Amino acid sequence: MAQDALITEAGDLAVDVNGDVPMIEDIDELAQSCRLALNMWKGHWVLDEDEGLDTDSVLTKGFDKNLATAAIRDCLLEDPRITDLVECSFDLDKKTRVLNVNLKIEANNQIFSLYTDLGELN
């Protein structure tokens, strides 16, 4: 069973009122791991430039749903615990041009949902 420190939606380490760092585990840890992977741009982590999301395929002017879904699938399947991307739908705020994604992910014969902000379209 994996366990990790809780990271806020803003990407900061969570700290409670006592100064302690809350821990998460099981499906919550896996969902957080997926969210962090999707928010790491491919080529931007010096220890492994192949890790992360290929944002050139997702946050592009000529947005292509199939290309974006494939890039998200590739990113998620880098984690050996993920067995499949079951469903992927996009929500584009036309005013802010921020792209959100709603995912159903399979891991360990269990399906969980994840909704996250991928960033602003170019």
Side-chain angles (χ1 to χ4, degrees):
M1 154 178 21
Q3 187 177 36
D4 201 357
L6 178 64
I7 305 295
T8 67
E9 289 291 324
D12 299 321
L13 187 63
V15 179
D16 68 18
V17 294
N18 297 322
D20 296 325
V21 175
M23 302 300 285
I24 58 171
E25 56 189 33
D26 299 327
I27 205 71
D28 294 328
E29 181 277 330
L30 186 54
Q32 175 176 282
S33 178
C34 290
R35 183 173 48 83
L36 292 172
L38 290 170
N39 284 292
M40 179 174 44
W41 293 9
K42 184 171 273 203
H44 285 232
W45 187 34
V46 296
L47 296 178
D48 188 346
E49 294 185 354
D50 290 330
E51 289 290 319
L53 179 64
D54 178 7
T55 55
D56 291 338
S57 298
V58 179
L59 301 176
T60 183
K61 185 175 182 179
F63 178 74
D64 181 320
K65 180 181 173 184
N66 293 328
L67 189 60
T69 300
I72 290 168
R73 174 176 277 111
D74 289 347
C75 177
L76 293 174
L77 291 176
E78 290 173 359
D79 187 324
R81 300 173 294 175
I82 304 296
T83 53
D84 194 17
L85 174 60
V86 177
E87 191 175 304
C88 180
S89 62
F90 298 95
D91 178 26
L92 175 62
D93 183 328
K94 293 186 181 190
K95 194 174 210 176
T96 63
R97 300 194 41 82
V98 170
L99 182 65
N100 292 289
V101 64
N102 190 14
L103 306 169
K104 288 195 179 173
I105 302 166
E106 183 178 357
N108 303 324
N109 296 317
Q110 187 176 4
I111 294 178
F112 66 96
S113 297
L114 176 65
Y115 184 79
T116 191
D117 170 354
L118 293 178
E120 187 176 325
L121 290 179
N122 295 329

